[in-house]
Amino acid sequence: MRLFWALLAALALCLPGAAAPGPPPPTPTGDPSAPPLLAYYYQWFSAGSWQRAKTDLPLAGPYSSDDTQVIDRQIAEAQSAGIDGFVVGWKQGTVNDRRLRKLVDAAEARHFKLAMIYQSLDFYRRPLPVAQVAADFRYFRDHFADSPAMLRVGGRPLTVWSGTWQYSHDDVARVTSAVRGDLRVLASEKSVDGYRRIADVTDGDAYYWSSADPEATPGYAAKLADMGRAVHADHKIWLAPCAPGFDARLVGGTKPVPRRDGATLTAEYDAALRSAPDAIGLISWNEFSENTYVEPSRAYGDRYLQVLRDLRGVRATAVSRTDPSGSGDVPHRSAAGADPSRAYWAFAGLAAPMLLITPLAVRRLRAARRSGPAPAEGRGTGP
């Protein structure tokens, strides 16, 4: 169903939901036709991480991904810039599970949404054993998928499998067949042919493409549009990428993509919109080794949150740095002209009869990685 996400969002505007504890939900973006914006988020960071392959540091300092105050502040900052959720990198392990649980708890308290991107390639770009991938997807389903923070499509939490291009059709089917009744599993293929190879055993595609320069890559926007059409022809979910820039020379890259003070992000966001995505995947919140981050930093301040606010049509709001603990000081983002009483924008996880969706609501909601190595932090001592 091509407009599945839009239909659920439209239904969410009509049906009341039980109030969750914590701060009130943020209002939708200023542009009612804009698709949800989901930022890729990495939880690999410890003190030693910031001493490797970094040219910039977060404005908050060299934090640990275990720090709950940091996590809460990151969510508040993301909400203030029109970001609707994080797509968090994960695979099963003691540290990763602990950090994901902390992120889930913080997201629940702030009515923020989460999806999961499974990192199936190791440090040397080798695919993990199929049995391990299958076991990890089942573990995620059994231990995290029931959280109200999980972004749902048709009642099923959204997940992405990074590295599907390294697995055969039968291997992908072996993993997804056990969980697709409970999860939406998107591929991470890099082309129309790649997507079609495993389309029957996945629920769409999330293209992680951050290394392309929109001003110098022939056919950049056309490729996204072609992939969007192919996915939607199967009535499945399309996550289009955008990034503020790219520079992975300290981790083996060769060609940086300049940020151009926000022009690169604006161009890539526009190209993503023109591919009619169900959501846009922002690369990234905090990938500091590949320099795709929008998280406030020492070099850029909050410049890229400001660019996002302009693109999303939201008012700038202050985020407290003295009390990031979620006590209520940190304002949520506010959309210009938005009605604060509206239900939260996105995926209520409700099964919706088509008759409940008005054509007007659908029209309003329709407008409008680098596909290769896993994020650098995830290729190190992390997951």
Side-chain angles (χ1 to χ4, degrees):
M1 290 166 281
R2 178 176 179 182
L3 296 179
F4 205 91
W5 290 23
L7 300 181
L8 287 178
L11 181 63
L13 300 182
C14 304
L15 297 181
T27 52
T29 73
D31 180 0
S33 68
L37 180 64
L38 310 174
Y40 290 92
Y41 175 94
Y42 301 104
Q43 55 175 7
W44 320 143
F45 297 103
S46 60
S49 304
W50 302 104
Q51 300 171 26
R52 300 192 303 266
K54 305 294 187 293
T55 59
D56 192 9
L57 291 174
L59 201 58
Y63 58 74
S64 165
S65 294
D66 272 306
D67 189 327
T68 55
Q69 291 192 344
V70 167
I71 293 168
D72 187 79
R73 191 208 67 251
Q74 289 173 323
I75 292 174
E77 287 176 332
Q79 288 177 315
S80 78
I83 294 171
D84 298 298
F86 286 152
V87 185
V88 57
W90 175 86
K91 61 187 168 191
Q92 201 276 322
T94 301
V95 174
N96 294 333
D97 296 347
R98 181 181 71 236
R99 290 173 173 176
L100 180 54
R101 176 55 59 194
K102 291 180 178 182
L103 179 63
V104 167
D105 290 345
E108 288 179 1
R110 288 201 172 271
H111 302 265
F112 192 63
K113 291 302 178 184
L114 300 175
M116 183 273 284
I117 179 167
Y118 183 78
Q119 306 288 343
S120 70
L121 306 182
D122 69 13
F123 179 83
Y124 300 103
R125 310 300 304 129
R126 299 173 303 201
L128 299 177
V130 176
Q132 179 180 342
V133 177
D136 285 0
F137 267 97
R138 292 194 301 271
Y139 186 95
F140 177 84
R141 176 196 62 194
D142 296 341
H143 291 82
F144 296 104
D146 62 348
S147 167
M150 291 301 161
L151 188 155
R152 287 173 166 76
V153 182
R156 303 180 204 173
L158 185 72
T159 67
V160 179
W161 178 351
S162 176
T164 49
W165 62 89
Q166 291 277 28
Y167 294 83
S168 71
H169 175 278
D170 289 348
D171 286 343
V172 174
R174 177 181 168 189
V175 172
T176 62
S177 61
V179 296
R180 282 181 75 202
D182 305 299
L183 305 174
R184 300 282 179 183
V185 183
L186 306 192
S188 56
E189 295 295 314
K190 316 171 191 178
S191 66
V192 169
D193 288 344
Y195 159 71
R196 286 175 175 159
R197 178 182 69 91
I198 54 175
D200 62 322
V201 292
T202 56
D203 295 300
D205 199 72
Y207 186 11
Y208 196 104
W209 195 20
S210 58
S211 59
D213 186 339
E215 293 189 8
T217 303
Y220 174 84
K223 180 174 183 177
L224 297 185
D226 288 345
M227 293 188 70
R229 279 191 293 271
V231 174
H232 286 152
D234 293 333
H235 310 292
K236 294 187 177 181
I237 301 162
W238 165 235
L239 265 66
C242 70
F246 174 85
D247 188 350
R249 286 177 290 181
L250 293 182
V251 290
T254 57
K255 290 185 67 175
V257 178
R259 289 183 174 238
R260 304 184 180 96
D261 192 36
T264 296
L265 178 55
T266 299
E268 294 198 13
Y269 183 88
D270 180 66
L273 274 182
R274 285 186 279 132
S275 72
D278 298 294
I280 294 177
L282 172 64
I283 309 168
S284 62
W285 177 258
N286 60 345
E287 221 307 2
F288 276 81
S289 291
E290 294 181 350
N291 290 284
T292 61
Y293 53 90
V294 298
E295 182 175 20
S297 73
R298 293 179 181 177
Y300 301 113
D302 70 347
R303 169 60 182 154
Y304 288 90
L305 299 190
Q306 295 173 23
V307 174
L308 288 171
R309 289 182 192 111
D310 291 342
L311 292 172
R312 302 293 286 173
V314 299
R315 296 191 190 106
T317 58
V319 174
S320 168
R321 291 185 175 273
T322 58
D323 180 11
S325 62
S327 61
D329 301 21
V330 184
H332 291 292
R333 65 188 173 89
S334 174
D339 177 359
S341 67
R342 290 177 66 188
Y344 187 52
W345 57 269
F347 311 85
L350 301 171
M354 294 290 288
L355 293 176
L356 293 178
I357 309 303
T358 67
L360 175 60
V362 172
R363 286 198 298 273
R364 290 182 67 207
L365 288 160
R366 272 191 68 186
R369 144 174 174 191
R370 178 173 116 191
S371 58
E377 293 298 337
R379 300 199 301 272
T381 56

